[in-house]
Amino acid sequence: MSLPPTVVAVGEATGAAGEFAAIARIARRFGAPPDGEVWIGDDAAVVRVGRGVLAIAADAVVAGVHADLRLTSVADLGWKALAVNVSDLAAMGLVAERAVVTVSGPPETDLDALYEGLAAASRAFACPVVGGDLTESPTLVVSVTVVGDAGVSPPPVRRNGAAEADAIWASGPLGAGAAALRSLRAGMRGSAHARPEPRTGEGVAARELGATAMIDVSDGFAADLGHVLDASGVGCELDCLPVAPGATRDEALGGGEDFELVWCMPATTDPRGAFAARGLRLPVRLGRCTADPACRTLQGQPLAPVGWQHRVG
Amino acid sequence: MSLPPTVVAVGEATGAAGEFAAIARIARRFGAPPDGEVWIGDDAAVVRVGRGVLAIAADAVVAGVHADLRLTSVADLGWKALAVNVSDLAAMGLVAERAVVTVSGPPETDLDALYEGLAAASRAFACPVVGGDLTESPTLVVSVTVVGDAGVSPPPVRRNGAAEADAIWASGPLGAGAAALRSLRAGMRGSAHARPEPRTGEGVAARELGATAMIDVSDGFAADLGHVLDASGVGCELDCLPVAPGATRDEALGGGEDFELVWCMPATTDPRGAFAARGLRLPVRLGRCTADPACRTLQGQPLAPVGWQHRVG
């Protein structure tokens, strides 16, 4: 087994073919979790430690792979490294409360700038960095782990709970991340993509309103919705694809690093009033889950399972 | 601020000059912890999340920096990445219960071997890997975070509690890590250093028997004892330096990656009976703490604050 040629989150294993097969093999090494715990195979793990029930997520950001430092500042890289992890907990309806960070990089790494970005994100998300380490390495790798309280009611939202006839919702229009990256490459500096905001409030609200399955759009909408449908054993009929301003339809379908959340909940629940009351952006209803897992359509056409392959950006 | 040219654990900041100044500046960005929490500045952080009190430690192992893959197998690198983190919790008298791992590496990385080493260590230490991610990177970096229950009584042992007249103990003779590395470089393959065993049982016993301060020997005995003395505001008079079989006196004083624990406890406590009753190796009494922080002697001679600088090994 060798490292897959593209970015794969262990937490996003579905047992499907290709890159995810490596993850499934890793998961098997560590066995099945005890009752009440979630291990490899969701946005975050849920574990019992002492008197607490804890959510824990870890993701590394690599210079030259997740961010081209000719286009992105090292401070923005620090922000992003924390943001992607906070988003993983948001995707289970949870709040990241503390982070640890390991930084491995060349001696010339601008640590002041990196930690400025990390500290700004930690203030914005109320998630202080409480420990970690610094190591010399030829490549800059920023690995962040976040923890949050998973002993909540209703419990954390996994990927596998969607049922036939559930409505499918998104926290906002899709494709903004890919569109911003395209602008950046064309020489137009923008800040939207540089310091993305995880949808923590939206995730918590969706959980409290009865979401049955949820994910954040990191690999691309069609691919990530596919993870939820695969895990839940259902299909989908989508009526609507909300496209973010400046984005193309393809970017909305396949662009990664969107940070929007996609969830399912019983069709009898309209979450918009509760979202508005909390001062959150109004979610968008995309369609419904079908009993047939093979049915995956958008406006009557097959939903292409296009996935975002992380490239230098 | 740039990355220090040697390995520095954020958790090991003491505010002293040199490399640790970078860590102190990082710590200031995140402010002071609330009551009952320990942030940057000890072997592990202690945080309150939900109903639990949690210890959390993170360390990265970098191929070519912490391990020369011409001398060390990638499986042993995986073992070591988990072991150094389990040792950080042991140094507070705590047990690592769950781990998450981010692996960043070149496409040709032998993930099967790496995860074989991680899985073997996770079985040996009863600390399963529950999540993480895989990322492409030109350099192999394995970053591990462990969590454990810190809601224990007596509470976690920090570095700053040693008092005048406390006795100083070590969990075993020193210098074995450096001696094994020397043998490896001379072409003699050994296994002692390749798959080191954290002293978790010893750490827990020391905490339960009233240890006032504790650390694991990662930078070198003299440097690490120095961290405890600095944090506690005391000095030391050592009578005894136990040297591991095959090691030199200099390796015992300055060799890193020893995994032995060094702790202080009231002189009225002799822990050896309790250690023997638990089937643990007998600890060695090294000397005592003095009121004068400037007094640091070994057999009447000044204790040189030699520190181990992590090199390719």
Side-chain angles (χ1 to χ4, degrees), chain B residues 46-286:
Chain B
V46 176
V47 298
R48 295 179 177 279
V49 174
R51 275 180 246 175
V53 184
L54 190 76
I56 180 165
D59 266 309
V61 172
V62 181
V65 175
H66 301 87
D68 182 342
L69 291 181
R70 292 166 303 183
L71 297 176
T72 305
S73 76
V74 72
D76 291 344
L77 184 92
W79 174 291
K80 185 175 173 178
L82 187 59
V84 296
N85 281 283
V86 171
S87 182
D88 279 334
L89 259 58
M92 300 187 89
L94 304 175
V95 182
E97 298 178 34
R98 299 286 185 274
V100 291
V101 179
T102 69
V103 176
S104 310
E108 64 272 19
T109 304
D110 186 346
L111 280 185
D112 271 325
L114 180 65
Y115 276 91
E116 184 277 311
L118 276 164
S122 83
R123 284 189 300 270
F125 314 146
C127 181
V129 174
V130 301
D133 81 342
L134 299 177
T135 309
E136 194 176 349
S137 160
T139 309
L140 177 59
V141 178
V142 182
S143 179
V144 175
T145 299
V146 295
V147 294
D149 183 16
V152 292
S153 180
V157 183
R158 300 187 55 182
R159 295 180 178 177
N160 62 2
E164 178 187 359
D166 278 359
I168 302 171
W169 295 84
S171 57
L174 304 165
L181 182 57
R182 174 166 45 81
S183 300
L184 212 54
R185 284 178 173 151
M188 295 176 284
R189 284 211 163 258
S191 64
H193 188 64
R195 298 212 161 180
E197 300 268 355
R199 311 305 189 217
T200 301
E202 289 80 358
V204 170
R207 175 177 60 76
E208 292 183 350
L209 293 167
T212 54
M214 186 154 56
I215 198 166
D216 64 336
V217 178
S218 54
D219 295 339
F221 165 70
D224 287 316
L225 177 60
H227 295 324
V228 165
L229 302 176
D230 289 341
S232 300
V234 296
C236 72
E237 286 174 351
L238 304 181
D239 313 310
C240 168
L241 180 77
V243 178
T248 66
R249 190 173 182 279
D250 277 359
E251 285 168 343
L253 270 174
E257 302 196 351
D258 231 355
F259 287 83
E260 298 296 349
L261 301 176
V262 174
W263 69 86
C264 306
M265 56 177 33
T268 48
T269 303
D270 185 335
R272 285 172 290 197
F275 270 58
R278 294 183 184 206
L280 302 171
R281 291 179 315 156
L282 287 192
V284 184
R285 191 177 181 287
L286 308 182

